[in-house]
Amino acid sequence: MSALLETISRIRAEVCALHAELTRYELVVWTAGNVSARVPGHELMVIKPSGVSYDALTPGSMVVADLHGVPVAGDSDGEWGNPELSPSSDTAAHAYVYRNMPDVGGVVHTHSTYATAWAARGEAIPCVLTMMGDEFGGTIPVGPFALIGDDSIGRGIVDTLRASHSPAVLMQNHGPFTIGKDARAAVKAAVMCEEVARTVHISRQLGEPLPIDTARIESLYDRYQNVYGR
């Protein structure tokens, strides 16, 4: 087996397993949502197939596509057995992110309840928790309204996140997309995005949350990203 085939096999298994985290943390319903991962060193990605139940996903059902979202069959060394399934309807958005953000190794999309409720209002989640300073480096921003089917969502994700520390963006009237150095990091960002969306929403039912000043947010972010756990 070639090195590329071994890499794709490993990433398919990882991406398949990470979809179970979306259901574990109740970030998705039915077949909605998806995880993808870049294939390092190649213009390829691995993503969930469209319309397949989470409990029916297998490593072999993960679709290998190029960075324009087109499924690809194999390389000169052999086939990796792409399933006869269409890739996720969000594949074009994921592919656009990979083409335009070379440091991103994983992308996740969910319709998690609280984060999507903020997206439905077109409202950014303010940084009023130290955990938000740690994980997101400030406000979780809102991206523009965009329709599924072309690069519009991906363009909105990239344009919004390039101007932010945040690995999460709330696409208006749609839901959260998250990025990471790999797919696991993007899943973590999706879990944490929903947690802070819920907590800040509950806080606002009790009164006006207290803001954290910018200098302290930067200090929190720098410590967590560069010191904590190292």
Side-chain angles (χ1 to χ4, degrees):
M1 181 182 291
S2 72
L4 176 56
L5 293 177
E6 289 180 355
T7 299
I8 287 174
S9 178
R10 173 179 57 80
I11 292 175
R12 276 177 148 174
E14 290 173 354
V15 170
C16 181
L18 285 168
H19 280 91
E21 298 298 299
L22 302 188
T23 56
R24 174 185 176 192
Y25 288 99
E26 299 182 344
L27 304 184
V28 294
V29 297
W30 203 238
T31 64
N34 37 73
V35 177
S36 74
R38 184 194 294 272
V39 178
H42 299 273
E43 298 292 297
L44 298 171
M45 58 185 279
V46 174
I47 193 166
K48 173 183 175 285
S50 179
V52 178
S53 297
Y54 278 78
D55 59 3
L57 294 176
T58 65
S61 66
M62 300 297 110
V63 180
V64 182
D66 66 21
L67 296 192
H68 291 273
V70 179
V72 289
D75 67 356
S76 59
D77 294 324
E79 299 285 329
W80 44 67
N82 242 347
E84 293 185 3
L85 297 167
S86 298
S88 165
S89 59
D90 293 302
T91 298
H94 290 238
Y96 187 92
V97 173
Y98 291 129
R99 291 200 309 274
N100 290 277
M101 301 183 82
D103 291 337
V104 170
V107 180
V108 172
H109 173 48
T110 77
H111 295 162
S112 60
T113 302
Y114 284 88
T116 302
W118 286 85
R121 294 197 298 263
E123 184 175 357
I125 305 174
C127 187
V128 295
L129 302 168
T130 58
M131 182 169 70
M132 288 190 69
D134 291 342
E135 297 281 352
F136 300 98
T139 296
I140 298 178
V142 173
F145 178 85
L147 294 175
I148 297 172
D150 59 18
D151 289 343
S152 299
I153 294 174
R155 191 175 302 113
I157 295 167
V158 170
D159 290 348
T160 304
L161 293 185
R162 275 181 171 164
S164 174
H165 285 314
S166 176
V169 55
L170 309 176
M171 293 300 288
Q172 182 182 315
N173 300 108
H174 189 165
F177 284 80
T178 59
I179 60 173
K181 62 182 175 61
D182 54 30
R184 183 172 181 79
V187 170
K188 179 190 177 185
V191 173
M192 302 306 284
C193 178
E194 178 64 4
E195 174 64 14
V196 300
R198 183 176 68 90
T199 302
V200 177
H201 172 78
I202 292 171
S203 175
R204 293 210 313 184
Q205 310 315 298
L206 302 173
E208 190 62 30
L210 300 175
I212 303 173
D213 69 56
T214 301
R216 287 180 172 174
I217 292 171
E218 289 292 337
S219 177
L220 287 164
Y221 183 74
D222 179 69
R223 174 187 173 277
Y224 189 76
Q225 299 297 324
N226 299 307
V227 178
Y228 177 78
R230 299 193 184 278

PDB file of all heavy atoms in Angstrom, residues 42-81:
ATOM      1  N   HIS A  42      -1.317  16.921  -0.008  1.00  0.00           N
ATOM      2  CA  HIS A  42      -2.029  16.621  -1.254  1.00  0.00           C
ATOM      3  C   HIS A  42      -3.232  17.548  -1.378  1.00  0.00           C
ATOM      4  O   HIS A  42      -3.775  18.013  -0.384  1.00  0.00           O
ATOM      5  CB  HIS A  42      -2.494  15.161  -1.281  1.00  0.00           C
ATOM      6  CG  HIS A  42      -1.366  14.178  -1.197  1.00  0.00           C
ATOM      7  ND1 HIS A  42      -0.696  13.731  -2.322  1.00  0.00           N
ATOM      8  CD2 HIS A  42      -0.776  13.586  -0.125  1.00  0.00           C
ATOM      9  CE1 HIS A  42       0.255  12.889  -1.941  1.00  0.00           C
ATOM     10  NE2 HIS A  42       0.227  12.783  -0.621  1.00  0.00           N
ATOM     11  N   GLU A  43      -3.653  17.809  -2.582  1.00  0.00           N
ATOM     12  CA  GLU A  43      -4.813  18.666  -2.832  1.00  0.00           C
ATOM     13  C   GLU A  43      -6.092  17.845  -2.700  1.00  0.00           C
ATOM     14  O   GLU A  43      -6.904  17.754  -3.628  1.00  0.00           O
ATOM     15  CB  GLU A  43      -4.701  19.304  -4.220  1.00  0.00           C
ATOM     16  CG  GLU A  43      -3.497  20.204  -4.383  1.00  0.00           C
ATOM     17  CD  GLU A  43      -3.618  21.468  -3.529  1.00  0.00           C
ATOM     18  OE1 GLU A  43      -4.549  22.248  -3.777  1.00  0.00           O
ATOM     19  OE2 GLU A  43      -2.785  21.653  -2.616  1.00  0.00           O
ATOM     20  N   LEU A  44      -6.252  17.234  -1.521  1.00  0.00           N
ATOM     21  CA  LEU A  44      -7.369  16.331  -1.270  1.00  0.00           C
ATOM     22  C   LEU A  44      -7.964  16.581   0.109  1.00  0.00           C
ATOM     23  O   LEU A  44      -7.290  17.091   1.012  1.00  0.00           O
ATOM     24  CB  LEU A  44      -6.911  14.870  -1.345  1.00  0.00           C
ATOM     25  CG  LEU A  44      -6.363  14.365  -2.684  1.00  0.00           C
ATOM     26  CD1 LEU A  44      -5.749  12.985  -2.507  1.00  0.00           C
ATOM     27  CD2 LEU A  44      -7.475  14.333  -3.735  1.00  0.00           C
ATOM     28  N   MET A  45      -9.210  16.176   0.268  1.00  0.00           N
ATOM     29  CA  MET A  45      -9.904  16.240   1.553  1.00  0.00           C
ATOM     30  C   MET A  45     -10.775  15.004   1.696  1.00  0.00           C
ATOM     31  O   MET A  45     -11.104  14.336   0.710  1.00  0.00           O
ATOM     32  CB  MET A  45     -10.772  17.504   1.622  1.00  0.00           C
ATOM     33  CG  MET A  45     -11.796  17.593   0.508  1.00  0.00           C
ATOM     34  SD  MET A  45     -12.756  19.128   0.466  1.00  0.00           S
ATOM     35  CE  MET A  45     -13.960  18.762   1.723  1.00  0.00           C
ATOM     36  N   VAL A  46     -11.146  14.695   2.930  1.00  0.00           N
ATOM     37  CA  VAL A  46     -12.058  13.592   3.241  1.00  0.00           C
ATOM     38  C   VAL A  46     -13.260  14.187   3.966  1.00  0.00           C
ATOM     39  O   VAL A  46     -13.089  14.968   4.908  1.00  0.00           O
ATOM     40  CB  VAL A  46     -11.373  12.523   4.117  1.00  0.00           C
ATOM     41  CG1 VAL A  46     -12.379  11.464   4.563  1.00  0.00           C
ATOM     42  CG2 VAL A  46     -10.213  11.884   3.372  1.00  0.00           C
ATOM     43  N   ILE A  47     -14.471  13.826   3.540  1.00  0.00           N
ATOM     44  CA  ILE A  47     -15.678  14.422   4.116  1.00  0.00           C
ATOM     45  C   ILE A  47     -16.807  13.397   4.180  1.00  0.00           C
ATOM     46  O   ILE A  47     -16.821  12.411   3.438  1.00  0.00           O
ATOM     47  CB  ILE A  47     -16.111  15.657   3.291  1.00  0.00           C
ATOM     48  CG1 ILE A  47     -17.176  16.485   4.037  1.00  0.00           C
ATOM     49  CG2 ILE A  47     -16.589  15.255   1.893  1.00  0.00           C
ATOM     50  CD1 ILE A  47     -17.383  17.875   3.440  1.00  0.00           C
ATOM     51  N   LYS A  48     -17.746  13.653   5.056  1.00  0.00           N
ATOM     52  CA  LYS A  48     -18.930  12.805   5.227  1.00  0.00           C
ATOM     53  C   LYS A  48     -19.765  12.767   3.944  1.00  0.00           C
ATOM     54  O   LYS A  48     -19.909  13.771   3.259  1.00  0.00           O
ATOM     55  CB  LYS A  48     -19.766  13.373   6.383  1.00  0.00           C
ATOM     56  CG  LYS A  48     -21.129  12.730   6.611  1.00  0.00           C
ATOM     57  CD  LYS A  48     -21.832  13.458   7.747  1.00  0.00           C
ATOM     58  CE  LYS A  48     -23.256  12.948   7.940  1.00  0.00           C
ATOM     59  NZ  LYS A  48     -24.164  13.442   6.885  1.00  0.00           N
ATOM     60  N   PRO A  49     -20.356  11.618   3.636  1.00  0.00           N
ATOM     61  CA  PRO A  49     -21.285  11.551   2.508  1.00  0.00           C
ATOM     62  C   PRO A  49     -22.611  12.238   2.853  1.00  0.00           C
ATOM     63  O   PRO A  49     -22.961  12.395   4.028  1.00  0.00           O
ATOM     64  CB  PRO A  49     -21.488  10.051   2.308  1.00  0.00           C
ATOM     65  CG  PRO A  49     -21.276   9.467   3.675  1.00  0.00           C
ATOM     66  CD  PRO A  49     -20.197  10.309   4.301  1.00  0.00           C
ATOM     67  N   SER A  50     -23.336  12.630   1.837  1.00  0.00           N
ATOM     68  CA  SER A  50     -24.613  13.313   2.025  1.00  0.00           C
ATOM     69  C   SER A  50     -25.728  12.327   2.348  1.00  0.00           C
ATOM     70  O   SER A  50     -25.818  11.254   1.739  1.00  0.00           O
ATOM     71  CB  SER A  50     -24.969  14.080   0.751  1.00  0.00           C
ATOM     72  OG  SER A  50     -26.219  14.731   0.881  1.00  0.00           O
ATOM     73  N   GLY A  51     -26.564  12.693   3.315  1.00  0.00           N
ATOM     74  CA  GLY A  51     -27.793  11.957   3.565  1.00  0.00           C
ATOM     75  C   GLY A  51     -27.651  10.600   4.204  1.00  0.00           C
ATOM     76  O   GLY A  51     -28.590   9.800   4.168  1.00  0.00           O
ATOM     77  N   VAL A  52     -26.507  10.308   4.801  1.00  0.00           N
ATOM     78  CA  VAL A  52     -26.301   9.012   5.448  1.00  0.00           C
ATOM     79  C   VAL A  52     -26.424   9.180   6.962  1.00  0.00           C
ATOM     80  O   VAL A  52     -25.835  10.096   7.543  1.00  0.00           O
ATOM     81  CB  VAL A  52     -24.914   8.429   5.095  1.00  0.00           C
ATOM     82  CG1 VAL A  52     -24.680   7.109   5.816  1.00  0.00           C
ATOM     83  CG2 VAL A  52     -24.795   8.244   3.581  1.00  0.00           C
ATOM     84  N   SER A  53     -27.188   8.313   7.604  1.00  0.00           N
ATOM     85  CA  SER A  53     -27.377   8.384   9.049  1.00  0.00           C
ATOM     86  C   SER A  53     -26.044   8.223   9.772  1.00  0.00           C
ATOM     87  O   SER A  53     -25.168   7.474   9.336  1.00  0.00           O
ATOM     88  CB  SER A  53     -28.335   7.289   9.519  1.00  0.00           C
ATOM     89  OG  SER A  53     -29.609   7.466   8.947  1.00  0.00           O
ATOM     90  N   TYR A  54     -25.918   8.887  10.887  1.00  0.00           N
ATOM     91  CA  TYR A  54     -24.664   8.841  11.636  1.00  0.00           C
ATOM     92  C   TYR A  54     -24.319   7.427  12.078  1.00  0.00           C
ATOM     93  O   TYR A  54     -23.153   7.032  12.075  1.00  0.00           O
ATOM     94  CB  TYR A  54     -24.725   9.794  12.840  1.00  0.00           C
ATOM     95  CG  TYR A  54     -24.431  11.226  12.458  1.00  0.00           C
ATOM     96  CD1 TYR A  54     -25.403  12.017  11.840  1.00  0.00           C
ATOM     97  CD2 TYR A  54     -23.187  11.785  12.683  1.00  0.00           C
ATOM     98  CE1 TYR A  54     -25.135  13.319  11.474  1.00  0.00           C
ATOM     99  CE2 TYR A  54     -22.899  13.090  12.323  1.00  0.00           C
ATOM    100  CZ  TYR A  54     -23.874  13.851  11.719  1.00  0.00           C
ATOM    101  OH  TYR A  54     -23.600  15.142  11.338  1.00  0.00           O
ATOM    102  N   ASP A  55     -25.322   6.644  12.453  1.00  0.00           N
ATOM    103  CA  ASP A  55     -25.027   5.288  12.921  1.00  0.00           C
ATOM    104  C   ASP A  55     -24.698   4.335  11.777  1.00  0.00           C
ATOM    105  O   ASP A  55     -24.292   3.198  12.007  1.00  0.00           O
ATOM    106  CB  ASP A  55     -26.172   4.734  13.771  1.00  0.00           C
ATOM    107  CG  ASP A  55     -27.504   4.678  13.046  1.00  0.00           C
ATOM    108  OD1 ASP A  55     -27.556   5.024  11.846  1.00  0.00           O
ATOM    109  OD2 ASP A  55     -28.507   4.296  13.675  1.00  0.00           O
ATOM    110  N   ALA A  56     -24.855   4.807  10.530  1.00  0.00           N
ATOM    111  CA  ALA A  56     -24.515   3.974   9.374  1.00  0.00           C
ATOM    112  C   ALA A  56     -23.166   4.358   8.759  1.00  0.00           C
ATOM    113  O   ALA A  56     -22.720   3.714   7.804  1.00  0.00           O
ATOM    114  CB  ALA A  56     -25.615   4.078   8.310  1.00  0.00           C
ATOM    115  N   LEU A  57     -22.511   5.369   9.312  1.00  0.00           N
ATOM    116  CA  LEU A  57     -21.231   5.806   8.751  1.00  0.00           C
ATOM    117  C   LEU A  57     -20.133   4.786   9.040  1.00  0.00           C
ATOM    118  O   LEU A  57     -20.060   4.221  10.129  1.00  0.00           O
ATOM    119  CB  LEU A  57     -20.830   7.164   9.335  1.00  0.00           C
ATOM    120  CG  LEU A  57     -21.712   8.360   8.975  1.00  0.00           C
ATOM    121  CD1 LEU A  57     -21.231   9.599   9.718  1.00  0.00           C
ATOM    122  CD2 LEU A  57     -21.719   8.601   7.464  1.00  0.00           C
ATOM    123  N   THR A  58     -19.278   4.576   8.059  1.00  0.00           N
ATOM    124  CA  THR A  58     -18.097   3.726   8.208  1.00  0.00           C
ATOM    125  C   THR A  58     -16.919   4.467   7.584  1.00  0.00           C
ATOM    126  O   THR A  58     -17.122   5.392   6.783  1.00  0.00           O
ATOM    127  CB  THR A  58     -18.267   2.384   7.482  1.00  0.00           C
ATOM    128  OG1 THR A  58     -18.370   2.641   6.063  1.00  0.00           O
ATOM    129  CG2 THR A  58     -19.505   1.637   7.964  1.00  0.00           C
ATOM    130  N   PRO A  59     -15.695   4.081   7.922  1.00  0.00           N
ATOM    131  CA  PRO A  59     -14.550   4.728   7.261  1.00  0.00           C
ATOM    132  C   PRO A  59     -14.647   4.659   5.739  1.00  0.00           C
ATOM    133  O   PRO A  59     -14.331   5.636   5.045  1.00  0.00           O
ATOM    134  CB  PRO A  59     -13.355   3.940   7.801  1.00  0.00           C
ATOM    135  CG  PRO A  59     -13.788   3.508   9.164  1.00  0.00           C
ATOM    136  CD  PRO A  59     -15.245   3.180   9.011  1.00  0.00           C
ATOM    137  N   GLY A  60     -15.109   3.547   5.204  1.00  0.00           N
ATOM    138  CA  GLY A  60     -15.201   3.393   3.763  1.00  0.00           C
ATOM    139  C   GLY A  60     -16.270   4.240   3.104  1.00  0.00           C
ATOM    140  O   GLY A  60     -16.254   4.426   1.883  1.00  0.00           O
ATOM    141  N   SER A  61     -17.204   4.764   3.903  1.00  0.00           N
ATOM    142  CA  SER A  61     -18.240   5.621   3.325  1.00  0.00           C
ATOM    143  C   SER A  61     -17.816   7.086   3.265  1.00  0.00           C
ATOM    144  O   SER A  61     -18.515   7.911   2.665  1.00  0.00           O
ATOM    145  CB  SER A  61     -19.558   5.492   4.103  1.00  0.00           C
ATOM    146  OG  SER A  61     -19.431   5.997   5.422  1.00  0.00           O
ATOM    147  N   MET A  62     -16.675   7.422   3.868  1.00  0.00           N
ATOM    148  CA  MET A  62     -16.170   8.790   3.789  1.00  0.00           C
ATOM    149  C   MET A  62     -15.680   9.061   2.361  1.00  0.00           C
ATOM    150  O   MET A  62     -15.012   8.226   1.750  1.00  0.00           O
ATOM    151  CB  MET A  62     -15.012   9.002   4.758  1.00  0.00           C
ATOM    152  CG  MET A  62     -15.362   8.777   6.234  1.00  0.00           C
ATOM    153  SD  MET A  62     -16.610   9.924   6.860  1.00  0.00           S
ATOM    154  CE  MET A  62     -17.996   8.798   7.072  1.00  0.00           C
ATOM    155  N   VAL A  63     -16.030  10.217   1.833  1.00  0.00           N
ATOM    156  CA  VAL A  63     -15.745  10.545   0.440  1.00  0.00           C
ATOM    157  C   VAL A  63     -14.428  11.315   0.338  1.00  0.00           C
ATOM    158  O   VAL A  63     -14.198  12.276   1.065  1.00  0.00           O
ATOM    159  CB  VAL A  63     -16.883  11.376  -0.176  1.00  0.00           C
ATOM    160  CG1 VAL A  63     -16.571  11.718  -1.631  1.00  0.00           C
ATOM    161  CG2 VAL A  63     -18.213  10.630  -0.065  1.00  0.00           C
ATOM    162  N   VAL A  64     -13.574  10.888  -0.577  1.00  0.00           N
ATOM    163  CA  VAL A  64     -12.333  11.598  -0.877  1.00  0.00           C
ATOM    164  C   VAL A  64     -12.610  12.526  -2.056  1.00  0.00           C
ATOM    165  O   VAL A  64     -13.097  12.087  -3.100  1.00  0.00           O
ATOM    166  CB  VAL A  64     -11.192  10.627  -1.231  1.00  0.00           C
ATOM    167  CG1 VAL A  64      -9.894  11.401  -1.489  1.00  0.00           C
ATOM    168  CG2 VAL A  64     -10.996   9.600  -0.119  1.00  0.00           C
ATOM    169  N   ALA A  65     -12.322  13.821  -1.872  1.00  0.00           N
ATOM    170  CA  ALA A  65     -12.577  14.809  -2.926  1.00  0.00           C
ATOM    171  C   ALA A  65     -11.358  15.692  -3.108  1.00  0.00           C
ATOM    172  O   ALA A  65     -10.486  15.773  -2.234  1.00  0.00           O
ATOM    173  CB  ALA A  65     -13.798  15.659  -2.564  1.00  0.00           C
ATOM    174  N   ASP A  66     -11.301  16.362  -4.242  1.00  0.00           N
ATOM    175  CA  ASP A  66     -10.233  17.345  -4.419  1.00  0.00           C
ATOM    176  C   ASP A  66     -10.641  18.650  -3.736  1.00  0.00           C
ATOM    177  O   ASP A  66     -11.727  18.745  -3.143  1.00  0.00           O
ATOM    178  CB  ASP A  66      -9.892  17.533  -5.905  1.00  0.00           C
ATOM    179  CG  ASP A  66     -11.020  18.154  -6.729  1.00  0.00           C
ATOM    180  OD1 ASP A  66     -11.916  18.807  -6.163  1.00  0.00           O
ATOM    181  OD2 ASP A  66     -11.001  17.983  -7.963  1.00  0.00           O
ATOM    182  N   LEU A  67      -9.788  19.655  -3.806  1.00  0.00           N
ATOM    183  CA  LEU A  67     -10.063  20.894  -3.088  1.00  0.00           C
ATOM    184  C   LEU A  67     -10.960  21.850  -3.863  1.00  0.00           C
ATOM    185  O   LEU A  67     -11.055  23.038  -3.537  1.00  0.00           O
ATOM    186  CB  LEU A  67      -8.756  21.571  -2.676  1.00  0.00           C
ATOM    187  CG  LEU A  67      -7.903  20.771  -1.683  1.00  0.00           C
ATOM    188  CD1 LEU A  67      -6.784  21.633  -1.118  1.00  0.00           C
ATOM    189  CD2 LEU A  67      -8.737  20.169  -0.553  1.00  0.00           C
ATOM    190  N   HIS A  68     -11.668  21.292  -4.842  1.00  0.00           N
ATOM    191  CA  HIS A  68     -12.794  21.982  -5.463  1.00  0.00           C
ATOM    192  C   HIS A  68     -14.087  21.211  -5.180  1.00  0.00           C
ATOM    193  O   HIS A  68     -15.129  21.518  -5.747  1.00  0.00           O
ATOM    194  CB  HIS A  68     -12.572  22.154  -6.962  1.00  0.00           C
ATOM    195  CG  HIS A  68     -11.476  23.134  -7.283  1.00  0.00           C
ATOM    196  ND1 HIS A  68     -11.682  24.495  -7.399  1.00  0.00           N
ATOM    197  CD2 HIS A  68     -10.152  22.946  -7.454  1.00  0.00           C
ATOM    198  CE1 HIS A  68     -10.546  25.101  -7.648  1.00  0.00           C
ATOM    199  NE2 HIS A  68      -9.597  24.185  -7.692  1.00  0.00           N
ATOM    200  N   GLY A  69     -13.977  20.199  -4.329  1.00  0.00           N
ATOM    201  CA  GLY A  69     -15.150  19.449  -3.909  1.00  0.00           C
ATOM    202  C   GLY A  69     -15.566  18.330  -4.827  1.00  0.00           C
ATOM    203  O   GLY A  69     -16.648  17.754  -4.653  1.00  0.00           O
ATOM    204  N   VAL A  70     -14.718  17.973  -5.788  1.00  0.00           N
ATOM    205  CA  VAL A  70     -15.071  16.927  -6.757  1.00  0.00           C
ATOM    206  C   VAL A  70     -14.520  15.583  -6.272  1.00  0.00           C
ATOM    207  O   VAL A  70     -13.316  15.461  -6.022  1.00  0.00           O
ATOM    208  CB  VAL A  70     -14.494  17.249  -8.150  1.00  0.00           C
ATOM    209  CG1 VAL A  70     -14.843  16.138  -9.139  1.00  0.00           C
ATOM    210  CG2 VAL A  70     -15.008  18.602  -8.634  1.00  0.00           C
ATOM    211  N   PRO A  71     -15.367  14.553  -6.108  1.00  0.00           N
ATOM    212  CA  PRO A  71     -14.871  13.236  -5.690  1.00  0.00           C
ATOM    213  C   PRO A  71     -13.826  12.703  -6.670  1.00  0.00           C
ATOM    214  O   PRO A  71     -13.953  12.884  -7.890  1.00  0.00           O
ATOM    215  CB  PRO A  71     -16.128  12.362  -5.694  1.00  0.00           C
ATOM    216  CG  PRO A  71     -17.250  13.324  -5.493  1.00  0.00           C
ATOM    217  CD  PRO A  71     -16.837  14.574  -6.230  1.00  0.00           C
ATOM    218  N   VAL A  72     -12.797  12.065  -6.130  1.00  0.00           N
ATOM    219  CA  VAL A  72     -11.717  11.529  -6.959  1.00  0.00           C
ATOM    220  C   VAL A  72     -11.543  10.052  -6.661  1.00  0.00           C
ATOM    221  O   VAL A  72     -11.696   9.603  -5.527  1.00  0.00           O
ATOM    222  CB  VAL A  72     -10.403  12.297  -6.735  1.00  0.00           C
ATOM    223  CG1 VAL A  72     -10.492  13.690  -7.325  1.00  0.00           C
ATOM    224  CG2 VAL A  72     -10.054  12.396  -5.263  1.00  0.00           C
ATOM    225  N   ALA A  73     -11.202   9.287  -7.689  1.00  0.00           N
ATOM    226  CA  ALA A  73     -11.213   7.834  -7.575  1.00  0.00           C
ATOM    227  C   ALA A  73      -9.933   7.242  -7.029  1.00  0.00           C
ATOM    228  O   ALA A  73      -9.949   6.229  -6.348  1.00  0.00           O
ATOM    229  CB  ALA A  73     -11.505   7.218  -8.939  1.00  0.00           C
ATOM    230  N   GLY A  74      -8.784   7.831  -7.321  1.00  0.00           N
ATOM    231  CA  GLY A  74      -7.546   7.220  -6.879  1.00  0.00           C
ATOM    232  C   GLY A  74      -6.350   7.891  -7.502  1.00  0.00           C
ATOM    233  O   GLY A  74      -6.474   8.919  -8.155  1.00  0.00           O
ATOM    234  N   ASP A  75      -5.183   7.304  -7.295  1.00  0.00           N
ATOM    235  CA  ASP A  75      -3.968   7.847  -7.875  1.00  0.00           C
ATOM    236  C   ASP A  75      -3.297   6.771  -8.733  1.00  0.00           C
ATOM    237  O   ASP A  75      -3.841   5.697  -8.950  1.00  0.00           O
ATOM    238  CB  ASP A  75      -3.021   8.376  -6.791  1.00  0.00           C
ATOM    239  CG  ASP A  75      -2.463   7.279  -5.902  1.00  0.00           C
ATOM    240  OD1 ASP A  75      -2.867   6.116  -6.075  1.00  0.00           O
ATOM    241  OD2 ASP A  75      -1.618   7.586  -5.049  1.00  0.00           O
ATOM    242  N   SER A  76      -2.105   7.070  -9.199  1.00  0.00           N
ATOM    243  CA  SER A  76      -1.419   6.134 -10.088  1.00  0.00           C
ATOM    244  C   SER A  76      -1.035   4.829  -9.399  1.00  0.00           C
ATOM    245  O   SER A  76      -0.781   3.832 -10.053  1.00  0.00           O
ATOM    246  CB  SER A  76      -0.158   6.802 -10.656  1.00  0.00           C
ATOM    247  OG  SER A  76       0.717   7.192  -9.606  1.00  0.00           O
ATOM    248  N   ASP A  77      -1.023   4.851  -8.058  1.00  0.00           N
ATOM    249  CA  ASP A  77      -0.648   3.645  -7.311  1.00  0.00           C
ATOM    250  C   ASP A  77      -1.833   2.726  -7.012  1.00  0.00           C
ATOM    251  O   ASP A  77      -1.663   1.637  -6.493  1.00  0.00           O
ATOM    252  CB  ASP A  77       0.015   4.034  -5.987  1.00  0.00           C
ATOM    253  CG  ASP A  77       1.351   4.722  -6.215  1.00  0.00           C
ATOM    254  OD1 ASP A  77       2.053   4.333  -7.149  1.00  0.00           O
ATOM    255  OD2 ASP A  77       1.658   5.646  -5.452  1.00  0.00           O
ATOM    256  N   GLY A  78      -3.033   3.201  -7.291  1.00  0.00           N
ATOM    257  CA  GLY A  78      -4.167   2.330  -7.005  1.00  0.00           C
ATOM    258  C   GLY A  78      -5.409   3.110  -6.618  1.00  0.00           C
ATOM    259  O   GLY A  78      -5.415   4.331  -6.575  1.00  0.00           O
ATOM    260  N   GLU A  79      -6.471   2.403  -6.331  1.00  0.00           N
ATOM    261  CA  GLU A  79      -7.746   3.008  -5.973  1.00  0.00           C
ATOM    262  C   GLU A  79      -7.920   3.013  -4.464  1.00  0.00           C
ATOM    263  O   GLU A  79      -7.452   2.125  -3.773  1.00  0.00           O
ATOM    264  CB  GLU A  79      -8.886   2.187  -6.603  1.00  0.00           C
ATOM    265  CG  GLU A  79      -8.846   2.116  -8.112  1.00  0.00           C
ATOM    266  CD  GLU A  79      -9.300   3.401  -8.777  1.00  0.00           C
ATOM    267  OE1 GLU A  79     -10.153   4.084  -8.189  1.00  0.00           O
ATOM    268  OE2 GLU A  79      -8.796   3.720  -9.851  1.00  0.00           O
ATOM    269  N   TRP A  80      -8.610   4.020  -3.967  1.00  0.00           N
ATOM    270  CA  TRP A  80      -8.957   3.989  -2.543  1.00  0.00           C
ATOM    271  C   TRP A  80     -10.441   3.727  -2.346  1.00  0.00           C
ATOM    272  O   TRP A  80     -10.970   3.865  -1.256  1.00  0.00           O
ATOM    273  CB  TRP A  80      -8.548   5.274  -1.819  1.00  0.00           C
ATOM    274  CG  TRP A  80      -8.847   6.549  -2.538  1.00  0.00           C
ATOM    275  CD1 TRP A  80     -10.073   7.076  -2.820  1.00  0.00           C
ATOM    276  CD2 TRP A  80      -7.882   7.462  -3.050  1.00  0.00           C
ATOM    277  NE1 TRP A  80      -9.935   8.256  -3.487  1.00  0.00           N
ATOM    278  CE2 TRP A  80      -8.601   8.528  -3.632  1.00  0.00           C
ATOM    279  CE3 TRP A  80      -6.498   7.489  -3.066  1.00  0.00           C
ATOM    280  CZ2 TRP A  80      -7.971   9.616  -4.223  1.00  0.00           C
ATOM    281  CZ3 TRP A  80      -5.882   8.577  -3.658  1.00  0.00           C
ATOM    282  CH2 TRP A  80      -6.602   9.615  -4.234  1.00  0.00           C
ATOM    283  N   GLY A  81     -11.114   3.349  -3.423  1.00  0.00           N
ATOM    284  CA  GLY A  81     -12.470   2.855  -3.292  1.00  0.00           C
ATOM    285  C   GLY A  81     -13.483   3.867  -2.806  1.00  0.00           C
ATOM    286  O   GLY A  81     -14.163   3.638  -1.817  1.00  0.00           O
TER     287      GLY A  81
END
